[in-house]
Amino acid sequence: MKDTLKPGIESTFTFHVPGTKTVPALYPESAEFQEMPEVFATGFLVGFLEWACIQAINPHLDWPAEQSVGTHIDVSHVAATPAGFDVTAKVKLIEVDKRRLLFEVEAHDGVELISKGKHERFVINKEMFDSKMQEKITRKGT
């Protein structure tokens, strides 16, 4: 981690919501999801907020050797967004505790606020993380 990884880092990130990021697309195997409205899925919203946080801090990491993984998310999803809209995330790093990072996050769809909350990430060493995952795969196979 670089010395510049400190609370106060802010970033804005915009994404155009395609039909492939709506509720029916979240789990195509689910008959229930196929009957639901074609609006930005909460699962994809969470990923979008994570993406915004990643983009905010990557310049402050030794990317790609250092990366961050999401460990906790506590956000609302208070308004539906149809496919075809642009959503904008505003994220702010509010706490750095060694490798633990805490963000305030919110998203707007150009009409109204759609999400607000907090997101926690941990900085990882990609090589070590991959090695641990390979060990886990090996353990499960035996």
Side-chain angles (χ1 to χ4, degrees), residues 65-101:
E66 285 182 323
Q67 297 181 16
S68 66
V69 294
T71 54
H72 188 84
I73 187 110
D74 183 10
V75 296
S76 63
H77 191 175
V78 296
T81 303
F85 277 51
D86 288 339
V87 290
T88 299
K90 292 182 181 178
V91 302
K92 181 177 182 179
L93 181 60
I94 60 169
E95 187 178 326
V96 178
D97 181 12
K98 297 180 181 139
R99 297 182 303 121
R100 183 183 153 276
L101 311 175

PDB file of all heavy atoms in Angstrom, residues 65-101:
ATOM      1  N   ALA A  65      -0.417  -6.438  -7.986  1.00  0.00           N
ATOM      2  CA  ALA A  65       0.097  -7.325  -6.932  1.00  0.00           C
ATOM      3  C   ALA A  65      -0.720  -7.173  -5.653  1.00  0.00           C
ATOM      4  O   ALA A  65      -0.951  -8.145  -4.939  1.00  0.00           O
ATOM      5  CB  ALA A  65       1.572  -7.047  -6.657  1.00  0.00           C
ATOM      6  N   GLU A  66      -1.141  -5.949  -5.375  1.00  0.00           N
ATOM      7  CA  GLU A  66      -2.047  -5.697  -4.254  1.00  0.00           C
ATOM      8  C   GLU A  66      -3.430  -5.420  -4.832  1.00  0.00           C
ATOM      9  O   GLU A  66      -3.564  -4.683  -5.813  1.00  0.00           O
ATOM     10  CB  GLU A  66      -1.620  -4.463  -3.452  1.00  0.00           C
ATOM     11  CG  GLU A  66      -0.432  -4.668  -2.577  1.00  0.00           C
ATOM     12  CD  GLU A  66      -0.107  -3.416  -1.786  1.00  0.00           C
ATOM     13  OE1 GLU A  66      -0.247  -2.296  -2.317  1.00  0.00           O
ATOM     14  OE2 GLU A  66       0.316  -3.565  -0.639  1.00  0.00           O
ATOM     15  N   GLN A  67      -4.421  -6.007  -4.219  1.00  0.00           N
ATOM     16  CA  GLN A  67      -5.798  -5.787  -4.633  1.00  0.00           C
ATOM     17  C   GLN A  67      -6.646  -5.664  -3.382  1.00  0.00           C
ATOM     18  O   GLN A  67      -6.136  -5.762  -2.261  1.00  0.00           O
ATOM     19  CB  GLN A  67      -6.279  -6.942  -5.518  1.00  0.00           C
ATOM     20  CG  GLN A  67      -5.501  -7.050  -6.809  1.00  0.00           C
ATOM     21  CD  GLN A  67      -5.981  -8.172  -7.706  1.00  0.00           C
ATOM     22  OE1 GLN A  67      -7.064  -8.716  -7.538  1.00  0.00           O
ATOM     23  NE2 GLN A  67      -5.160  -8.512  -8.689  1.00  0.00           N
ATOM     24  N   SER A  68      -7.926  -5.464  -3.555  1.00  0.00           N
ATOM     25  CA  SER A  68      -8.815  -5.421  -2.397  1.00  0.00           C
ATOM     26  C   SER A  68     -10.018  -6.314  -2.662  1.00  0.00           C
ATOM     27  O   SER A  68     -10.448  -6.476  -3.803  1.00  0.00           O
ATOM     28  CB  SER A  68      -9.263  -3.990  -2.093  1.00  0.00           C
ATOM     29  OG  SER A  68     -10.064  -3.477  -3.127  1.00  0.00           O
ATOM     30  N   VAL A  69     -10.513  -6.897  -1.594  1.00  0.00           N
ATOM     31  CA  VAL A  69     -11.697  -7.751  -1.678  1.00  0.00           C
ATOM     32  C   VAL A  69     -12.756  -7.209  -0.723  1.00  0.00           C
ATOM     33  O   VAL A  69     -12.452  -6.709   0.354  1.00  0.00           O
ATOM     34  CB  VAL A  69     -11.381  -9.235  -1.352  1.00  0.00           C
ATOM     35  CG1 VAL A  69     -10.476  -9.839  -2.411  1.00  0.00           C
ATOM     36  CG2 VAL A  69     -10.761  -9.390   0.026  1.00  0.00           C
ATOM     37  N   GLY A  70     -14.004  -7.323  -1.144  1.00  0.00           N
ATOM     38  CA  GLY A  70     -15.105  -6.893  -0.303  1.00  0.00           C
ATOM     39  C   GLY A  70     -15.340  -7.876   0.823  1.00  0.00           C
ATOM     40  O   GLY A  70     -15.288  -9.085   0.618  1.00  0.00           O
ATOM     41  N   THR A  71     -15.584  -7.349   2.023  1.00  0.00           N
ATOM     42  CA  THR A  71     -15.811  -8.206   3.182  1.00  0.00           C
ATOM     43  C   THR A  71     -17.122  -7.896   3.893  1.00  0.00           C
ATOM     44  O   THR A  71     -17.602  -8.707   4.680  1.00  0.00           O
ATOM     45  CB  THR A  71     -14.657  -8.090   4.184  1.00  0.00           C
ATOM     46  OG1 THR A  71     -14.468  -6.704   4.518  1.00  0.00           O
ATOM     47  CG2 THR A  71     -13.375  -8.661   3.604  1.00  0.00           C
ATOM     48  N   HIS A  72     -17.692  -6.730   3.642  1.00  0.00           N
ATOM     49  CA  HIS A  72     -18.972  -6.393   4.269  1.00  0.00           C
ATOM     50  C   HIS A  72     -19.637  -5.295   3.448  1.00  0.00           C
ATOM     51  O   HIS A  72     -18.964  -4.397   2.955  1.00  0.00           O
ATOM     52  CB  HIS A  72     -18.766  -5.903   5.707  1.00  0.00           C
ATOM     53  CG  HIS A  72     -20.040  -5.728   6.458  1.00  0.00           C
ATOM     54  ND1 HIS A  72     -20.675  -6.762   7.094  1.00  0.00           N
ATOM     55  CD2 HIS A  72     -20.817  -4.641   6.657  1.00  0.00           C
ATOM     56  CE1 HIS A  72     -21.778  -6.316   7.659  1.00  0.00           C
ATOM     57  NE2 HIS A  72     -21.892  -5.028   7.401  1.00  0.00           N
ATOM     58  N   ILE A  73     -20.952  -5.404   3.337  1.00  0.00           N
ATOM     59  CA  ILE A  73     -21.713  -4.363   2.650  1.00  0.00           C
ATOM     60  C   ILE A  73     -22.986  -4.114   3.444  1.00  0.00           C
ATOM     61  O   ILE A  73     -23.648  -5.051   3.885  1.00  0.00           O
ATOM     62  CB  ILE A  73     -22.009  -4.738   1.176  1.00  0.00           C
ATOM     63  CG1 ILE A  73     -22.646  -3.583   0.442  1.00  0.00           C
ATOM     64  CG2 ILE A  73     -22.833  -5.978   1.047  1.00  0.00           C
ATOM     65  CD1 ILE A  73     -21.775  -2.933  -0.580  1.00  0.00           C
ATOM     66  N   ASP A  74     -23.275  -2.857   3.678  1.00  0.00           N
ATOM     67  CA  ASP A  74     -24.483  -2.462   4.396  1.00  0.00           C
ATOM     68  C   ASP A  74     -25.064  -1.263   3.660  1.00  0.00           C
ATOM     69  O   ASP A  74     -24.720  -0.120   3.956  1.00  0.00           O
ATOM     70  CB  ASP A  74     -24.163  -2.117   5.844  1.00  0.00           C
ATOM     71  CG  ASP A  74     -25.402  -1.775   6.663  1.00  0.00           C
ATOM     72  OD1 ASP A  74     -26.527  -1.980   6.175  1.00  0.00           O
ATOM     73  OD2 ASP A  74     -25.237  -1.285   7.792  1.00  0.00           O
ATOM     74  N   VAL A  75     -25.893  -1.555   2.652  1.00  0.00           N
ATOM     75  CA  VAL A  75     -26.443  -0.491   1.822  1.00  0.00           C
ATOM     76  C   VAL A  75     -27.943  -0.681   1.634  1.00  0.00           C
ATOM     77  O   VAL A  75     -28.454  -1.803   1.665  1.00  0.00           O
ATOM     78  CB  VAL A  75     -25.770  -0.414   0.424  1.00  0.00           C
ATOM     79  CG1 VAL A  75     -24.298  -0.062   0.543  1.00  0.00           C
ATOM     80  CG2 VAL A  75     -25.949  -1.689  -0.362  1.00  0.00           C
ATOM     81  N   SER A  76     -28.612   0.417   1.421  1.00  0.00           N
ATOM     82  CA  SER A  76     -30.019   0.385   1.051  1.00  0.00           C
ATOM     83  C   SER A  76     -30.114   0.270  -0.470  1.00  0.00           C
ATOM     84  O   SER A  76     -29.156   0.550  -1.184  1.00  0.00           O
ATOM     85  CB  SER A  76     -30.693   1.681   1.501  1.00  0.00           C
ATOM     86  OG  SER A  76     -30.101   2.788   0.817  1.00  0.00           O
ATOM     87  N   HIS A  77     -31.264  -0.153  -0.939  1.00  0.00           N
ATOM     88  CA  HIS A  77     -31.602  -0.068  -2.363  1.00  0.00           C
ATOM     89  C   HIS A  77     -33.030   0.454  -2.377  1.00  0.00           C
ATOM     90  O   HIS A  77     -33.986  -0.314  -2.371  1.00  0.00           O
ATOM     91  CB  HIS A  77     -31.467  -1.416  -3.054  1.00  0.00           C
ATOM     92  CG  HIS A  77     -31.549  -1.330  -4.544  1.00  0.00           C
ATOM     93  ND1 HIS A  77     -31.362  -2.409  -5.363  1.00  0.00           N
ATOM     94  CD2 HIS A  77     -31.791  -0.278  -5.381  1.00  0.00           C
ATOM     95  CE1 HIS A  77     -31.485  -2.045  -6.631  1.00  0.00           C
ATOM     96  NE2 HIS A  77     -31.763  -0.748  -6.661  1.00  0.00           N
ATOM     97  N   VAL A  78     -33.170   1.780  -2.389  1.00  0.00           N
ATOM     98  CA  VAL A  78     -34.442   2.421  -2.088  1.00  0.00           C
ATOM     99  C   VAL A  78     -35.264   2.839  -3.296  1.00  0.00           C
ATOM    100  O   VAL A  78     -36.403   3.284  -3.142  1.00  0.00           O
ATOM    101  CB  VAL A  78     -34.232   3.644  -1.164  1.00  0.00           C
ATOM    102  CG1 VAL A  78     -33.688   3.195   0.188  1.00  0.00           C
ATOM    103  CG2 VAL A  78     -33.309   4.668  -1.805  1.00  0.00           C
ATOM    104  N   ALA A  79     -34.705   2.732  -4.508  1.00  0.00           N
ATOM    105  CA  ALA A  79     -35.459   3.115  -5.703  1.00  0.00           C
ATOM    106  C   ALA A  79     -35.043   2.237  -6.873  1.00  0.00           C
ATOM    107  O   ALA A  79     -33.861   1.901  -7.016  1.00  0.00           O
ATOM    108  CB  ALA A  79     -35.234   4.583  -6.032  1.00  0.00           C
ATOM    109  N   ALA A  80     -36.008   1.880  -7.695  1.00  0.00           N
ATOM    110  CA  ALA A  80     -35.751   1.047  -8.870  1.00  0.00           C
ATOM    111  C   ALA A  80     -35.235   1.895 -10.022  1.00  0.00           C
ATOM    112  O   ALA A  80     -35.647   3.037 -10.205  1.00  0.00           O
ATOM    113  CB  ALA A  80     -37.028   0.328  -9.286  1.00  0.00           C
ATOM    114  N   THR A  81     -34.333   1.297 -10.803  1.00  0.00           N
ATOM    115  CA  THR A  81     -33.740   1.969 -11.957  1.00  0.00           C
ATOM    116  C   THR A  81     -33.934   1.106 -13.198  1.00  0.00           C
ATOM    117  O   THR A  81     -33.415  -0.016 -13.250  1.00  0.00           O
ATOM    118  CB  THR A  81     -32.227   2.215 -11.722  1.00  0.00           C
ATOM    119  OG1 THR A  81     -32.063   2.981 -10.533  1.00  0.00           O
ATOM    120  CG2 THR A  81     -31.608   2.928 -12.902  1.00  0.00           C
ATOM    121  N   PRO A  82     -34.655   1.604 -14.196  1.00  0.00           N
ATOM    122  CA  PRO A  82     -34.849   0.826 -15.419  1.00  0.00           C
ATOM    123  C   PRO A  82     -33.557   0.678 -16.220  1.00  0.00           C
ATOM    124  O   PRO A  82     -32.659   1.525 -16.127  1.00  0.00           O
ATOM    125  CB  PRO A  82     -35.858   1.653 -16.220  1.00  0.00           C
ATOM    126  CG  PRO A  82     -36.452   2.630 -15.256  1.00  0.00           C
ATOM    127  CD  PRO A  82     -35.412   2.858 -14.211  1.00  0.00           C
ATOM    128  N   ALA A  83     -33.485  -0.390 -17.013  1.00  0.00           N
ATOM    129  CA  ALA A  83     -32.373  -0.537 -17.951  1.00  0.00           C
ATOM    130  C   ALA A  83     -32.365   0.682 -18.863  1.00  0.00           C
ATOM    131  O   ALA A  83     -33.407   1.256 -19.168  1.00  0.00           O
ATOM    132  CB  ALA A  83     -32.547  -1.815 -18.764  1.00  0.00           C
ATOM    133  N   GLY A  84     -31.172   1.083 -19.274  1.00  0.00           N
ATOM    134  CA  GLY A  84     -31.017   2.248 -20.142  1.00  0.00           C
ATOM    135  C   GLY A  84     -30.628   3.512 -19.400  1.00  0.00           C
ATOM    136  O   GLY A  84     -30.212   4.487 -20.015  1.00  0.00           O
ATOM    137  N   PHE A  85     -30.762   3.507 -18.084  1.00  0.00           N
ATOM    138  CA  PHE A  85     -30.362   4.663 -17.281  1.00  0.00           C
ATOM    139  C   PHE A  85     -28.866   4.601 -16.980  1.00  0.00           C
ATOM    140  O   PHE A  85     -28.264   3.529 -16.985  1.00  0.00           O
ATOM    141  CB  PHE A  85     -31.112   4.675 -15.950  1.00  0.00           C
ATOM    142  CG  PHE A  85     -32.484   5.279 -15.991  1.00  0.00           C
ATOM    143  CD1 PHE A  85     -33.421   4.877 -16.926  1.00  0.00           C
ATOM    144  CD2 PHE A  85     -32.855   6.243 -15.061  1.00  0.00           C
ATOM    145  CE1 PHE A  85     -34.690   5.420 -16.950  1.00  0.00           C
ATOM    146  CE2 PHE A  85     -34.125   6.793 -15.073  1.00  0.00           C
ATOM    147  CZ  PHE A  85     -35.055   6.382 -16.022  1.00  0.00           C
ATOM    148  N   ASP A  86     -28.288   5.747 -16.669  1.00  0.00           N
ATOM    149  CA  ASP A  86     -26.937   5.810 -16.124  1.00  0.00           C
ATOM    150  C   ASP A  86     -27.047   5.922 -14.616  1.00  0.00           C
ATOM    151  O   ASP A  86     -27.871   6.687 -14.110  1.00  0.00           O
ATOM    152  CB  ASP A  86     -26.173   7.024 -16.655  1.00  0.00           C
ATOM    153  CG  ASP A  86     -25.789   6.882 -18.118  1.00  0.00           C
ATOM    154  OD1 ASP A  86     -25.750   5.744 -18.622  1.00  0.00           O
ATOM    155  OD2 ASP A  86     -25.522   7.910 -18.749  1.00  0.00           O
ATOM    156  N   VAL A  87     -26.222   5.152 -13.900  1.00  0.00           N
ATOM    157  CA  VAL A  87     -26.140   5.271 -12.447  1.00  0.00           C
ATOM    158  C   VAL A  87     -24.762   5.813 -12.091  1.00  0.00           C
ATOM    159  O   VAL A  87     -23.769   5.473 -12.736  1.00  0.00           O
ATOM    160  CB  VAL A  87     -26.423   3.929 -11.721  1.00  0.00           C
ATOM    161  CG1 VAL A  87     -27.882   3.549 -11.861  1.00  0.00           C
ATOM    162  CG2 VAL A  87     -25.532   2.824 -12.225  1.00  0.00           C
ATOM    163  N   THR A  88     -24.732   6.662 -11.085  1.00  0.00           N
ATOM    164  CA  THR A  88     -23.474   7.263 -10.651  1.00  0.00           C
ATOM    165  C   THR A  88     -23.251   6.956  -9.181  1.00  0.00           C
ATOM    166  O   THR A  88     -24.137   7.206  -8.351  1.00  0.00           O
ATOM    167  CB  THR A  88     -23.482   8.781 -10.874  1.00  0.00           C
ATOM    168  OG1 THR A  88     -23.650   9.034 -12.273  1.00  0.00           O
ATOM    169  CG2 THR A  88     -22.178   9.415 -10.407  1.00  0.00           C
ATOM    170  N   ALA A  89     -22.087   6.403  -8.886  1.00  0.00           N
ATOM    171  CA  ALA A  89     -21.693   6.127  -7.500  1.00  0.00           C
ATOM    172  C   ALA A  89     -20.753   7.218  -7.030  1.00  0.00           C
ATOM    173  O   ALA A  89     -19.873   7.666  -7.780  1.00  0.00           O
ATOM    174  CB  ALA A  89     -20.999   4.778  -7.396  1.00  0.00           C
ATOM    175  N   LYS A  90     -20.944   7.627  -5.791  1.00  0.00           N
ATOM    176  CA  LYS A  90     -20.000   8.514  -5.114  1.00  0.00           C
ATOM    177  C   LYS A  90     -19.501   7.736  -3.914  1.00  0.00           C
ATOM    178  O   LYS A  90     -20.296   7.274  -3.088  1.00  0.00           O
ATOM    179  CB  LYS A  90     -20.679   9.807  -4.675  1.00  0.00           C
ATOM    180  CG  LYS A  90     -21.080  10.682  -5.834  1.00  0.00           C
ATOM    181  CD  LYS A  90     -21.707  11.975  -5.358  1.00  0.00           C
ATOM    182  CE  LYS A  90     -22.119  12.815  -6.550  1.00  0.00           C
ATOM    183  NZ  LYS A  90     -22.778  14.052  -6.146  1.00  0.00           N
ATOM    184  N   VAL A  91     -18.182   7.554  -3.839  1.00  0.00           N
ATOM    185  CA  VAL A  91     -17.602   6.797  -2.741  1.00  0.00           C
ATOM    186  C   VAL A  91     -16.554   7.638  -2.040  1.00  0.00           C
ATOM    187  O   VAL A  91     -15.885   8.467  -2.660  1.00  0.00           O
ATOM    188  CB  VAL A  91     -16.997   5.454  -3.228  1.00  0.00           C
ATOM    189  CG1 VAL A  91     -18.060   4.607  -3.921  1.00  0.00           C
ATOM    190  CG2 VAL A  91     -15.815   5.659  -4.139  1.00  0.00           C
ATOM    191  N   LYS A  92     -16.430   7.411  -0.744  1.00  0.00           N
ATOM    192  CA  LYS A  92     -15.430   8.134   0.054  1.00  0.00           C
ATOM    193  C   LYS A  92     -14.816   7.170   1.047  1.00  0.00           C
ATOM    194  O   LYS A  92     -15.538   6.513   1.815  1.00  0.00           O
ATOM    195  CB  LYS A  92     -16.066   9.308   0.792  1.00  0.00           C
ATOM    196  CG  LYS A  92     -15.074  10.110   1.606  1.00  0.00           C
ATOM    197  CD  LYS A  92     -15.734  11.304   2.259  1.00  0.00           C
ATOM    198  CE  LYS A  92     -14.712  12.134   3.030  1.00  0.00           C
ATOM    199  NZ  LYS A  92     -15.350  13.319   3.649  1.00  0.00           N
ATOM    200  N   LEU A  93     -13.494   7.069   1.035  1.00  0.00           N
ATOM    201  CA  LEU A  93     -12.771   6.259   2.011  1.00  0.00           C
ATOM    202  C   LEU A  93     -12.775   7.026   3.330  1.00  0.00           C
ATOM    203  O   LEU A  93     -12.254   8.141   3.411  1.00  0.00           O
ATOM    204  CB  LEU A  93     -11.338   6.005   1.530  1.00  0.00           C
ATOM    205  CG  LEU A  93     -10.451   5.155   2.423  1.00  0.00           C
ATOM    206  CD1 LEU A  93     -11.026   3.762   2.631  1.00  0.00           C
ATOM    207  CD2 LEU A  93      -9.041   5.071   1.838  1.00  0.00           C
ATOM    208  N   ILE A  94     -13.399   6.440   4.362  1.00  0.00           N
ATOM    209  CA  ILE A  94     -13.527   7.158   5.635  1.00  0.00           C
ATOM    210  C   ILE A  94     -12.653   6.589   6.743  1.00  0.00           C
ATOM    211  O   ILE A  94     -12.448   7.250   7.765  1.00  0.00           O
ATOM    212  CB  ILE A  94     -14.998   7.232   6.104  1.00  0.00           C
ATOM    213  CG1 ILE A  94     -15.590   5.843   6.313  1.00  0.00           C
ATOM    214  CG2 ILE A  94     -15.826   8.050   5.137  1.00  0.00           C
ATOM    215  CD1 ILE A  94     -16.942   5.836   7.022  1.00  0.00           C
ATOM    216  N   GLU A  95     -12.133   5.368   6.540  1.00  0.00           N
ATOM    217  CA  GLU A  95     -11.307   4.769   7.585  1.00  0.00           C
ATOM    218  C   GLU A  95     -10.307   3.796   6.974  1.00  0.00           C
ATOM    219  O   GLU A  95     -10.665   3.016   6.086  1.00  0.00           O
ATOM    220  CB  GLU A  95     -12.207   4.026   8.574  1.00  0.00           C
ATOM    221  CG  GLU A  95     -11.507   3.495   9.803  1.00  0.00           C
ATOM    222  CD  GLU A  95     -12.482   2.802  10.754  1.00  0.00           C
ATOM    223  OE1 GLU A  95     -13.656   3.237  10.858  1.00  0.00           O
ATOM    224  OE2 GLU A  95     -12.068   1.808  11.373  1.00  0.00           O
ATOM    225  N   VAL A  96      -9.066   3.871   7.456  1.00  0.00           N
ATOM    226  CA  VAL A  96      -8.027   2.911   7.092  1.00  0.00           C
ATOM    227  C   VAL A  96      -7.461   2.354   8.385  1.00  0.00           C
ATOM    228  O   VAL A  96      -6.923   3.100   9.205  1.00  0.00           O
ATOM    229  CB  VAL A  96      -6.894   3.566   6.251  1.00  0.00           C
ATOM    230  CG1 VAL A  96      -5.809   2.556   5.940  1.00  0.00           C
ATOM    231  CG2 VAL A  96      -7.446   4.182   4.973  1.00  0.00           C
ATOM    232  N   ASP A  97      -7.641   1.052   8.594  1.00  0.00           N
ATOM    233  CA  ASP A  97      -7.124   0.380   9.785  1.00  0.00           C
ATOM    234  C   ASP A  97      -6.264  -0.780   9.309  1.00  0.00           C
ATOM    235  O   ASP A  97      -6.774  -1.866   9.036  1.00  0.00           O
ATOM    236  CB  ASP A  97      -8.285  -0.104  10.658  1.00  0.00           C
ATOM    237  CG  ASP A  97      -7.823  -0.789  11.937  1.00  0.00           C
ATOM    238  OD1 ASP A  97      -6.618  -0.698  12.278  1.00  0.00           O
ATOM    239  OD2 ASP A  97      -8.662  -1.436  12.591  1.00  0.00           O
ATOM    240  N   LYS A  98      -4.993  -0.522   9.157  1.00  0.00           N
ATOM    241  CA  LYS A  98      -4.059  -1.469   8.545  1.00  0.00           C
ATOM    242  C   LYS A  98      -4.560  -1.831   7.155  1.00  0.00           C
ATOM    243  O   LYS A  98      -4.593  -0.976   6.283  1.00  0.00           O
ATOM    244  CB  LYS A  98      -3.841  -2.678   9.437  1.00  0.00           C
ATOM    245  CG  LYS A  98      -3.206  -2.314  10.766  1.00  0.00           C
ATOM    246  CD  LYS A  98      -2.987  -3.493  11.643  1.00  0.00           C
ATOM    247  CE  LYS A  98      -2.365  -3.021  12.945  1.00  0.00           C
ATOM    248  NZ  LYS A  98      -2.886  -3.671  14.100  1.00  0.00           N
ATOM    249  N   ARG A  99      -4.988  -3.074   6.933  1.00  0.00           N
ATOM    250  CA  ARG A  99      -5.465  -3.488   5.610  1.00  0.00           C
ATOM    251  C   ARG A  99      -6.977  -3.337   5.440  1.00  0.00           C
ATOM    252  O   ARG A  99      -7.503  -3.528   4.356  1.00  0.00           O
ATOM    253  CB  ARG A  99      -5.056  -4.941   5.334  1.00  0.00           C
ATOM    254  CG  ARG A  99      -3.543  -5.146   5.286  1.00  0.00           C
ATOM    255  CD  ARG A  99      -3.143  -6.579   4.964  1.00  0.00           C
ATOM    256  NE  ARG A  99      -3.688  -7.547   5.893  1.00  0.00           N
ATOM    257  CZ  ARG A  99      -4.495  -8.564   5.561  1.00  0.00           C
ATOM    258  NH1 ARG A  99      -4.829  -8.770   4.318  1.00  0.00           N
ATOM    259  NH2 ARG A  99      -4.936  -9.395   6.469  1.00  0.00           N
ATOM    260  N   ARG A 100      -7.664  -2.979   6.499  1.00  0.00           N
ATOM    261  CA  ARG A 100      -9.126  -2.819   6.459  1.00  0.00           C
ATOM    262  C   ARG A 100      -9.489  -1.399   6.026  1.00  0.00           C
ATOM    263  O   ARG A 100      -8.993  -0.422   6.579  1.00  0.00           O
ATOM    264  CB  ARG A 100      -9.715  -3.096   7.842  1.00  0.00           C
ATOM    265  CG  ARG A 100     -11.215  -3.025   7.881  1.00  0.00           C
ATOM    266  CD  ARG A 100     -11.707  -3.253   9.332  1.00  0.00           C
ATOM    267  NE  ARG A 100     -12.969  -2.605   9.521  1.00  0.00           N
ATOM    268  CZ  ARG A 100     -13.161  -1.325   9.827  1.00  0.00           C
ATOM    269  NH1 ARG A 100     -12.141  -0.517  10.020  1.00  0.00           N
ATOM    270  NH2 ARG A 100     -14.374  -0.837   9.973  1.00  0.00           N
ATOM    271  N   LEU A 101     -10.367  -1.314   5.027  1.00  0.00           N
ATOM    272  CA  LEU A 101     -10.787  -0.026   4.480  1.00  0.00           C
ATOM    273  C   LEU A 101     -12.303   0.094   4.602  1.00  0.00           C
ATOM    274  O   LEU A 101     -13.028  -0.842   4.284  1.00  0.00           O
ATOM    275  CB  LEU A 101     -10.404   0.079   3.005  1.00  0.00           C
ATOM    276  CG  LEU A 101      -8.962  -0.286   2.640  1.00  0.00           C
ATOM    277  CD1 LEU A 101      -8.786  -0.257   1.129  1.00  0.00           C
ATOM    278  CD2 LEU A 101      -7.974   0.644   3.321  1.00  0.00           C
TER     279      LEU A 101
END
